[in-house]
Amino acid sequence: MKSIDAIEGKILSILAMDSDLTSAELGEKVGLSPSAAHRRVAQLREDGAIMGYRAILSPGARGNPGVVLVNVTLRDQRQETMRRFETEIVDCPEVTQCFLMSGEADYMLHVEIRDGDTYERIHRETLSQLPGVTRLASHFVIREVIRRV
């Protein structure tokens, strides 16, 4: 990816907060014409700085899920153990994010528990059955304070 200049940095910051702006609105915020703003955004997408757009759904639209952050420790960190875990975790619909971590845990999961489901079931039937898992440490989210993504 090429280096990003000051105007492109501003464009990225603005779009990260509101990607629904028109080219005219974006251009006005960064001091470019609508067509120039559109060209810059297209170039940022082509260069890979912008990987896509998505709708951020409200908790109500997602069924008001409870959130549990789960630290996962594997039996070892061999490439095959990690590959098998990562291959299977993508098929767990309750897991909305999975991060490879440094420190005590190997992975951290963001798990959403939807109405009518329980974390006990997800823990027992899904997470503890993943290949290589030796320890799960669960942290229940009380309230989300800030979200920038």
Side-chain angles (χ1 to χ4, degrees), residues 7-121:
I7 290 177
E8 291 166 337
K10 277 182 162 178
I11 289 171
L12 292 173
S13 293
I14 291 167
L15 290 179
M17 297 304 290
D18 184 2
S19 66
D20 204 26
L21 295 173
T22 65
S23 294
E25 292 167 330
L26 180 61
E28 185 175 315
K29 290 179 181 283
V30 298
L32 294 174
S33 70
S35 60
H38 180 78
R39 281 193 305 274
R40 291 278 191 123
V41 170
Q43 188 63 54
L44 287 165
R45 285 187 7 213
E46 186 177 312
D47 292 344
I50 297 174
M51 295 170 39
Y53 299 97
R54 64 182 175 167
I56 299 172
L57 304 180
S58 71
R62 295 190 330 268
N64 292 314
V67 175
V68 183
L69 302 176
V70 182
N71 290 334
V72 178
T73 303
L74 300 180
R75 75 173 158 263
D76 58 56
Q77 292 184 338
R78 292 182 334 181
Q79 186 174 356
E80 178 61 19
T81 305
M82 295 172 76
R83 185 195 61 73
R84 286 186 60 227
F85 174 84
E86 290 177 11
T87 297
E88 290 202 28
I89 196 72
V90 299
D91 293 328
C92 300
E94 303 90 356
V95 177
T96 60
Q97 292 179 288
C98 175
F99 304 96
L100 176 62
M101 303 296 292
S102 64
E104 291 184 32
D106 296 311
Y107 292 91
M108 180 175 282
L109 310 178
H110 181 278
V111 177
E112 291 193 350
I113 302 134
R114 299 206 173 29
D115 291 339
D117 205 352
T118 65
Y119 180 67
E120 178 187 7
R121 185 204 62 79

